[in-house]
């Protein structure tokens, strides 16, 4: 992975008073950005919704289940639709989906708001469940293949998505969906990078001359040495890339 070169540009050096004055000016813009985000979230809560058949089938560790069952008794359901390359080993699976899924670990805060989180893989269950095992993830995991076209009706099947659902008794409704940079809502790494002096180090960013920007947004920004970055620790732990055989135990 490229390191920041020692001759990379740096901001001008000033005294603490000047630094704080510039930071205070930026803080005004940050607070306006936060308030605009709150206003957008308020508008999102006022969107209409569309009914989805709660009997749509998915495949999980217990076999065939339904969209309604995935709620696990909670009122709301938040789903990440994981892209899948059928028949391919772990290094060839989606680096973007691996990046965001790796960062969703603690679900208790979602549960406290009556929200179930689940991954709906867009590929076959046995292969993708083995990938979940390879990565060491514990999030609820299903294959959406049996109902994928109806779950993502009108959208690009095969692309990463977040979708939100609410149930009213046995009726299920979709309330929101997003894709592409919208899935950054699941991320903390890029959000933290945005706070640093060099940012994400990607060419599209508006940075001063001399700032390092080697990470192209073409998949390589979440890959290193031929595989998704997060996989390397799993390889070091001795886990196999082969996703073709067997089914992991229910966890």
């Amino acid at each position: 992975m490229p390191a920041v070169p020692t001759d990379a540009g740096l901001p001008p050096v000033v005294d603490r008073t000047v630094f704080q004055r510039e930071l205070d000016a930026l803080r005004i813009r940050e607070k306006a950005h936060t308030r605009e985000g709150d206003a957008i979230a308020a508008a999102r809560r006022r969107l209409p919704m569309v009914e989805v058949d709660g009997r749509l089938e998915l495949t999980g560790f217990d076999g065939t289940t339904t969209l309604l069952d995935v709620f696990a008794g909670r009122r709301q359901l938040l789903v990440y639709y994981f892209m899948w390359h059928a028949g391919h080993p772990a290094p060839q699976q989606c680096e973007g989906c691996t990046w965001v899924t790796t960062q969703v670990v603690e679900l208790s805060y979602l549960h406290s708001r009556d929200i179930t989180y689940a991954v709906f893989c867009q590929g076959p269950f046995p292969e993708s469940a083995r990938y979940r095992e390879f990565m060491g993830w514990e999030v609820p995991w299903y294959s959406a293949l049996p109902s994928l076209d109806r779950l993502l009706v009108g959208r690009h099947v095969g692309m990463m998505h977040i979708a939100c659902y609410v149930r009213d008794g046995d009726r299920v409704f979709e309330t929101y969906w997003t894709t592409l940079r919208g899935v950054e809502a699941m991320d903390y790494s890029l959000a933290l990078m945005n706070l640093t002096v060099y940012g994400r180090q990607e060419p599209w960013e508006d940075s001063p001359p001399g700032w390092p920007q080697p990470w192209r947004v073409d998949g390589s920004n979440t890959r290193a040495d031929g595989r998704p970055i997060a996989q390397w620790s799993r390889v070091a732990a001795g886990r196999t890339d082969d996703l073709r055989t067997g089914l992991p135990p229910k966890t």
Side-chain angles (χ1 to χ4, degrees):
M1 290 181 283
V4 174
T6 57
D7 62 349
L10 289 167
V13 179
V14 297
D15 63 29
R16 175 64 65 173
T17 300
V18 174
F19 171 73
Q20 191 60 49
R21 185 175 67 238
E22 295 293 322
L23 184 59
D24 289 345
L26 180 63
R27 196 77 76 213
I28 293 171
R29 296 176 63 188
E30 288 181 331
K31 289 181 178 179
H33 176 73
T34 298
R35 288 191 290 271
E36 178 61 14
D38 292 341
I40 291 171
R44 190 180 294 120
R45 292 191 293 272
R46 288 165 171 80
L47 286 172
M49 60 186 184
V50 61
E51 188 161 9
V52 181
D53 187 351
R55 300 167 297 177
L56 290 176
E57 293 186 353
L58 302 104
T59 306
F61 284 98
D62 291 326
T64 300
T65 188
T66 68
L67 178 62
L68 183 61
D69 290 335
V70 175
F71 279 78
R74 298 186 180 91
R75 187 74 188 275
Q76 300 180 84
L77 173 64
L78 193 158
V79 170
Y80 180 72
Y81 284 87
F82 197 110
M83 297 167 60
W84 192 255
H85 304 299
H88 291 257
Q92 297 175 25
Q93 294 306 326
C94 178
E95 62 277 353
C97 294
T98 300
W99 149 59
V100 290
T101 304
T102 297
Q103 298 181 75
V104 181
V105 178
E106 181 56 63
L107 301 181
S108 60
Y109 297 101
L110 292 175
H111 294 170
S112 74
R113 302 300 196 273
D114 211 18
I115 302 167
T116 290
Y117 173 84
V119 172
F120 284 7
C121 186
Q122 300 182 54
F125 183 78
E127 280 186 4
S128 65
R130 284 186 61 82
Y131 190 62
R132 174 182 179 270
E133 179 187 38
F134 168 79
M135 292 301 301
W137 295 328
E138 297 181 357
V139 293
W141 190 277
Y142 302 87
S143 169
L145 268 183
S147 304
L148 191 57
D149 289 339
R150 286 171 288 172
L151 287 164
L152 293 180
V153 61
R155 282 158 280 185
H156 184 182
V157 173
M159 183 178 290
M160 59 176 69
H161 289 86
I162 293 174
C164 299
Y165 304 91
V166 67
R167 67 180 183 90
D168 184 13
D170 290 341
R171 298 178 70 188
V172 176
F173 302 87
E174 185 175 353
T175 62
Y176 178 75
W177 70 271
T178 188
T179 188
L180 298 175
R181 288 194 64 182
V183 305
E184 288 183 12
M186 299 169 61
D187 162 79
Y188 68 87
S189 295
L190 294 182
L192 292 175
M193 291 177 196
N194 286 342
L195 303 180
T196 70
V197 68
Y198 295 131
R200 303 183 185 192
Q201 302 173 47
E202 295 174 353
W204 64 271
E205 291 178 289
D206 180 3
S207 294
W211 259 231
Q213 295 182 311
W215 294 90
R216 302 194 65 82
V217 187
D218 57 3
S220 63
N221 57 325
T222 47
R223 281 186 170 266
D225 299 326
R227 66 169 66 237
I229 293 169
Q231 288 187 4
W232 283 110
S233 61
R234 280 71 173 179
V235 174
R239 299 177 188 172
T240 177
D241 285 332
D242 185 3
L243 308 177
R244 293 174 299 177
T245 59
L247 183 65
K250 179 183 177 184
T251 57

